[in-house]
Amino acid sequence: MVAFIISVIGAQPLTIAGVTGPITVFNKTIYDITQKQINPPNYLWFVGWVYLWAAIIHWITAALNWCNFLRYVTLFSCDTFGFYVSWVYLQYGVQVITRQFSDGTDGAFVAIVLALLMVATSFLFQALSRMAYFHRVARRFLSDYGMPISLFAASGMAYWGRFHSAHGTTLPVGGAFQAANGRPWLVRFWELDGKWVGIALPFGVVLWILFFFDHNVSSLIAQGSRFPLRKPPGFHYDFFLLGITTFIAGLIGVPAPNGLIPQAPIHTNSLVVMGHQPKKSDQENRTRTSGGSLVIRNCSEEKQSENSTTVPREVPVAVVEQRVSNLAQGVLCLVLLTGPFLHLLNLIPRGVLAGLFWYMGIDALLGNGITLKLLYLVQDKSLTPPDEPLRKVRTSRLILFVLVQLVGFGATFAITQTVAAIGFPVVILLLVPLRTHVIPKLPFTAEELTILDGPTASPFTMESVGGSL
């Protein structure tokens, strides 16, 4: 549903939307809270009102241009939230594995092997795509399709030899184009008692907070500064459309979709056109300093630099900005609801699903700013490039900055493990004022904060929300 709306009439078709880990936590928490009451409401009816309230606030937000608040969202908040989402994926993978032990140890151990195989082969293909072997077309193929190949291979392994005799648990499926448990598609939420309608309002506000941050941050990361985009964004308009999809989700009783991390930036990255920067002649190898004087580069140093580079480094030169790929993945999801493909889905072992969760979590962690800063702290400084910006930051200040981010991540992750999990979107949103009002008062210099943090997207993208700070 959301893929059709975002790709066909959305302003930011590069953003992949779907059911995320945080909305799953949110829905489960609502179920736990409501069904423990003496006279619990119908769960789908109650969620229908939660989604309706959230949709109304979405439309108000878009009409009043409240998405301009995104100008205060920097890499500090995005990296912390992305770090949290990555660990949610890893946690889901562990939960999938541990539930297999209730059906016997043989199937559980096979699930572990399949999960590890899925992760190992996916990263193997990813590593091969970054090496100097094979033609660039083959390397690009491994980069884009290595993970799906690993999924098919690991699933096939479950039916080979003794693995098949373990009778591992596979993905559950229902009837083609049928709602779960045979219920009707239309949720008659308007029949809910009046008191529960009012109780649903604060839950709708919390859902709006979650989607305001989650969806917009996904869109920002999908249009990050590392991507040479040319088409303008439209955060206000797309957030209005997200309100429509949220309302429809409540009407038919499915989890509300929004921007996906890390799928959204992965989608943009798959559309990047790599190339080499044009070489300049010796007479053109000169730049202007801030004072206006010309500085001519030393030709011998230039030749020595070129000779020392055996493989020219490719850089992003363009992005294929179109609507087809997002629409295609939505059509494929629709195709998977047909009978024959539901049968194929039923053949995929849950251990492979756990491996997929682990792969997405680890892959997102490896590119996260918090992880990169932690790796820098343990690097041998003699092997660190001399132009590394973090060299200009005092080690104590770097540790302090990362520590604050880890505290924010820890608070968000910890609250989701308690009965107060419904409030975790509020904790996520508090990261923004923490960065704008608290961090500047800590003993950082302006130069250090510029290096440690910065806008999530380029000035071109941020113009849609009033520019960056």
Side-chain angles (χ1 to χ4, degrees):
M1 171 187 65
V2 69
F4 289 91
I5 293 178
I6 295 296
S7 62
V8 175
I9 62 176
Q12 301 169 131
L14 294 180
T15 303
I16 298 293
V19 179
T20 64
I23 189 61
T24 305
V25 175
F26 180 83
N27 288 338
K28 182 180 182 301
T29 305
I30 291 180
Y31 182 85
D32 293 340
I33 292 175
T34 58
Q35 301 308 303
K36 290 179 180 179
Q37 307 304 313
I38 298 177
N39 294 314
N42 182 291
Y43 172 70
L44 289 180
W45 293 1
F46 183 80
V47 170
W49 273 104
V50 171
Y51 285 8
L52 176 58
W53 286 124
I56 293 174
I57 306 175
H58 276 63
W59 298 329
I60 295 174
T61 300
L64 299 180
N65 289 340
W66 286 355
C67 286
N68 285 343
F69 179 76
L70 292 174
R71 65 194 302 262
Y72 299 100
V73 177
T74 62
L75 290 175
F76 171 86
S77 305
C78 293
D79 287 343
T80 306
F81 179 67
F83 203 76
Y84 161 74
V85 173
S86 301
W87 280 100
V88 167
Y89 278 117
L90 295 176
Q91 182 189 32
Y92 282 173
V94 173
Q95 290 175 349
V96 170
I97 292 295
T98 53
R99 290 168 185 164
Q100 307 306 304
F101 283 94
S102 60
D103 299 327
T105 57
D106 290 346
F109 285 125
V110 169
I112 294 175
V113 173
L114 295 177
L116 295 176
L117 178 64
M118 171 70 194
V119 174
T121 51
S122 296
F123 280 109
L124 175 62
F125 285 128
Q126 190 178 96
L128 288 174
S129 68
R130 295 173 179 172
M131 294 183 179
Y133 306 110
F134 313 115
H135 190 270
R136 62 180 302 175
V137 175
R139 296 197 306 270
R140 190 67 183 185
F141 177 83
L142 293 176
S143 176
D144 292 340
Y145 301 103
M147 186 272 289
I149 293 174
S150 301
L151 189 147
F152 286 117
S155 299
M157 184 65 69
Y159 299 92
W160 178 68
R162 291 189 177 182
F163 282 175
H164 185 50
S165 62
H167 302 291
T169 308
T170 59
L171 298 182
V173 296
F177 299 102
Q178 294 181 4
N181 300 323
R183 66 170 179 84
W185 275 109
L186 183 63
V187 175
R188 306 176 69 85
F189 64 89
W190 53 86
E191 298 182 2
L192 188 68
D193 291 341
K195 70 170 186 178
W196 291 109
V197 173
I199 295 174
L201 176 57
F203 289 91
V205 174
V206 174
L207 178 60
W208 166 76
I209 293 174
L210 173 61
F211 277 10
F212 182 86
F213 195 90
D214 194 359
H215 180 79
N216 287 317
V217 166
S218 300
S219 300
L220 282 173
I221 298 177
Q223 303 172 93
S225 54
R226 68 183 185 276
F227 300 124
L229 301 174
R230 294 185 178 181
K231 296 183 179 180
F235 291 93
H236 309 288
Y237 174 67
D238 274 12
F239 203 67
F240 178 85
L241 295 180
L242 188 68
I244 295 177
T245 60
T246 301
F247 169 70
I248 296 175
L251 193 62
I252 63 177
V254 297
N258 71 295
L260 290 169
I261 298 176
Q263 289 89 337
I266 288 177
H267 176 234
T268 308
N269 190 65
S270 67
L271 298 172
V272 170
V273 178
M274 304 297 290
H276 303 294
Q277 291 180 336
K279 294 183 178 180
K280 299 180 180 180
S281 62
D282 292 342
Q283 294 180 353
E284 295 175 341
N285 285 334
R286 46 186 180 178
T287 58
R288 286 191 179 272
T289 64
S290 58
S293 59
L294 288 175
V295 178
I296 302 176
R297 299 180 60 183
N298 187 289
C299 295
S300 61
E301 292 180 358
E302 177 75 15
K303 293 179 180 179
Q304 182 179 358
S305 174
E306 292 180 358
N307 293 335
S308 62
T309 306
T310 56
V311 180
R313 182 175 177 270
E314 292 184 334
V315 295
V317 295
V319 175
V320 184
E321 301 177 63
Q322 36 70 50
R323 300 176 182 271
V324 177
S325 56
N326 199 344
L327 178 62
Q329 65 92 19
V331 171
L332 289 176
C333 290
L334 192 64
V335 170
L336 289 177
L337 293 178
T338 60
F341 284 95
L342 284 176
H343 175 69
L344 292 178
L345 283 177
N346 185 240
L347 297 177
I348 299 178
R350 295 193 182 185
V352 176
L353 177 64
L356 179 61
F357 282 143
W358 288 347
Y359 167 76
M360 290 191 298
I362 296 173
D363 186 60
L365 279 178
L366 292 177
N368 188 272
I370 296 178
T371 307
L372 297 177
K373 291 181 179 68
L374 290 173
L375 292 176
Y376 172 80
L377 288 172
V378 298
Q379 277 182 354
D380 185 348
K381 296 304 179 286
S382 63
L383 300 178
T384 304
D387 58 347
E388 170 60 53
L390 290 177
R391 281 182 172 272
K392 300 179 181 179
V393 180
R394 291 168 291 178
T395 303
S396 60
R397 300 303 181 264
L398 176 57
I399 294 175
L400 177 60
F401 189 85
V402 174
L403 184 61
V404 173
Q405 288 184 297
L406 291 177
V407 169
F409 154 73
T412 306
F413 195 82
I415 197 174
T416 57
Q417 312 303 314
T418 67
V419 293
I422 195 68
F424 81 94
V426 179
V427 179
I428 294 172
L429 189 65
L430 290 176
L431 294 172
V432 179
L434 175 65
R435 168 61 184 91
T436 56
H437 298 292
V438 178
I439 296 295
K441 296 180 180 179
L442 297 178
F444 295 102
T445 64
E447 182 183 10
E448 288 174 335
L449 280 181
T450 302
I451 296 173
L452 293 171
D453 194 18
T456 305
S458 65
F460 171 73
T461 301
M462 298 302 294
E463 285 181 2
S464 176
V465 292
S468 57
L469 291 180

